[in-house]
Amino acid sequence: MLDLPTIPTARGIFARLDAEWAELCEDASVRAAVTDWLMTDHLADDVAAVTDSWVRALGPKELLTALRPGQGVLSDALTDAVLRSLLTRATGHDRSATLAARIIVQAMLPAAVRMTRGQVRGTGGRTWDDVGHIVIAALFEVARSGRIHTRPGRPAANLALDALSRVCRELAADREPAGEDLATAEDLADPTPGPVARAHAAAIHEAARAAGLTTEASVGEAEANSARLELLELVLEAMEHGSISRADGQAVAWHYTTTPLSDALAAQRAGTTATAWRRRRSRAVDRLKSRIRPAA
């Protein structure tokens, strides 16, 4: 039987979660459950390989390592597979589902800290720990909801965005007595990107930098609702699904921007000719258009 530890509540939420996590990692029943999950879902060999572990010794610690791939990675297929496996398990109604959701929350703690920091700065009047509790509760609820594991795309980004949306709604409703009016206002056009849009833009921008689609240090305020952001997202999705290559994506992204890279310079960087580079971009654009048409 899985016994999730209870941690004293005297310290901050993130410190308590880390302390609880240390206990989970030492719990033999939890380690056995994680090993069984990975074996059942045919993920044990891959997780053991990336963590340099013995298959039968896999536990929460190794699972967390697999869920947090190295920096500069556009997409990690193993991370996505492990996270989707946990999300599927988290939709159950037993202690095993609670454990799966708890592991997901631990994996998302870096994102939770960023959300908390952004909301404390943006709202005021709430303590760090107050907002942290709201963020963690939102992550847990979204993980248990069953919405994410059936949604295509990057599960970690989808999870973070859904959680942030819940956090923003709760904080907004708490600040204003007319919560229904605020919910209605979400449907009105607003030229200023809100926190959810900014978080989405930052996630896309980070992935685009990792893929070499842009060299800009950070996403600008105006980019959260811009056509440039939509283009980067479309290119990234096409790359993930194998419709276009990394070089194809660069040929498009380097050209369709406010400060386009000349074909001559881009071709020099890619080790080809300007004519070949233009042909590559033209073919990539055609493939991107073919991805858009079925949804039109």
Side-chain angles (χ1 to χ4, degrees):
M1 179 178 178
L2 296 174
D3 291 320
L4 302 186
T6 301
I7 300 299
T9 59
R11 293 177 292 163
I13 179 66
F14 296 110
R16 295 201 303 275
L17 287 171
D18 282 337
E20 180 184 273
W21 181 254
E23 287 196 14
L24 284 174
C25 290
E26 297 301 320
D27 190 313
S29 65
V30 172
R31 292 200 304 271
V34 168
T35 300
D36 288 343
W37 292 350
L38 292 173
M39 295 287 286
T40 300
D41 295 341
H42 306 289
L43 295 167
D45 289 339
D46 290 335
V47 172
V50 299
T51 59
D52 194 22
S53 307
W54 179 46
V55 170
R56 296 305 306 181
L58 295 173
K61 186 182 300 183
E62 290 74 24
L63 195 57
L64 185 63
T65 300
L67 285 167
R68 292 181 181 172
Q71 297 297 318
V73 178
L74 169 64
S75 176
D76 188 291
L78 177 59
T79 295
D80 289 352
V82 171
L83 183 53
R84 287 195 183 281
S85 172
L86 287 171
L87 287 165
T88 302
R89 293 183 181 281
T91 61
H93 302 286
D94 55 10
R95 295 182 67 83
S96 179
T98 303
L99 174 61
R102 176 62 185 86
I103 294 173
I104 293 168
V105 168
Q106 191 69 25
M108 297 296 293
L109 277 191
V113 170
R114 290 193 296 271
M115 286 187 216
T116 302
R117 183 181 298 116
Q119 293 308 306
V120 169
R121 288 174 179 170
T123 59
R126 286 272 198 168
T127 68
W128 169 271
D129 214 41
D130 285 342
V131 177
H133 273 89
I134 294 172
V135 170
I136 294 302
L139 278 171
F140 191 84
E141 290 169 4
V142 173
R144 294 294 304 273
S145 70
R147 285 169 48 84
I148 304 301
H149 75 271
T150 58
R151 189 186 303 173
R154 295 171 291 276
N158 289 337
L159 180 62
L161 288 171
D162 271 21
L164 180 57
S165 180
R166 288 189 181 218
V167 170
C168 292
R169 286 198 300 269
E170 180 167 343
L171 290 176
D174 186 60
R175 288 195 304 273
E176 298 286 346
E180 292 183 3
D181 292 339
L182 287 170
T184 302
E186 289 181 353
D187 297 328
L188 301 178
D190 184 356
T192 303
V196 175
R198 289 195 297 270
H200 180 66
I204 296 300
H205 185 82
E206 183 179 349
R209 285 198 68 192
L213 302 182
T214 181
T215 58
E216 299 161 1
S218 61
V219 61
E221 284 289 325
E223 191 175 17
N225 288 327
S226 71
R228 168 68 172 171
L229 181 68
E230 294 178 4
L231 172 68
L232 290 176
E233 186 169 14
L234 178 63
V235 170
L236 286 167
E237 289 179 354
M239 290 171 62
E240 286 191 354
H241 287 86
S243 301
I244 63 174
S245 67
R246 180 189 178 98
D248 293 337
Q250 290 172 338
V252 174
W254 292 355
H255 182 75
Y256 294 103
T257 179
T258 54
T259 55
L261 198 64
S262 71
D263 288 337
L265 183 55
Q268 184 179 358
R269 288 186 181 181
T272 185
T273 66
T275 300
W277 190 251
R278 284 192 293 271
R279 284 200 299 265
R280 175 184 288 277
R281 182 172 64 248
S282 178
R283 290 193 297 267
V285 169
D286 286 342
R287 285 194 287 271
L288 289 175
K289 288 180 179 178
S290 68
R291 285 180 58 83
I292 296 173
R293 287 191 192 106

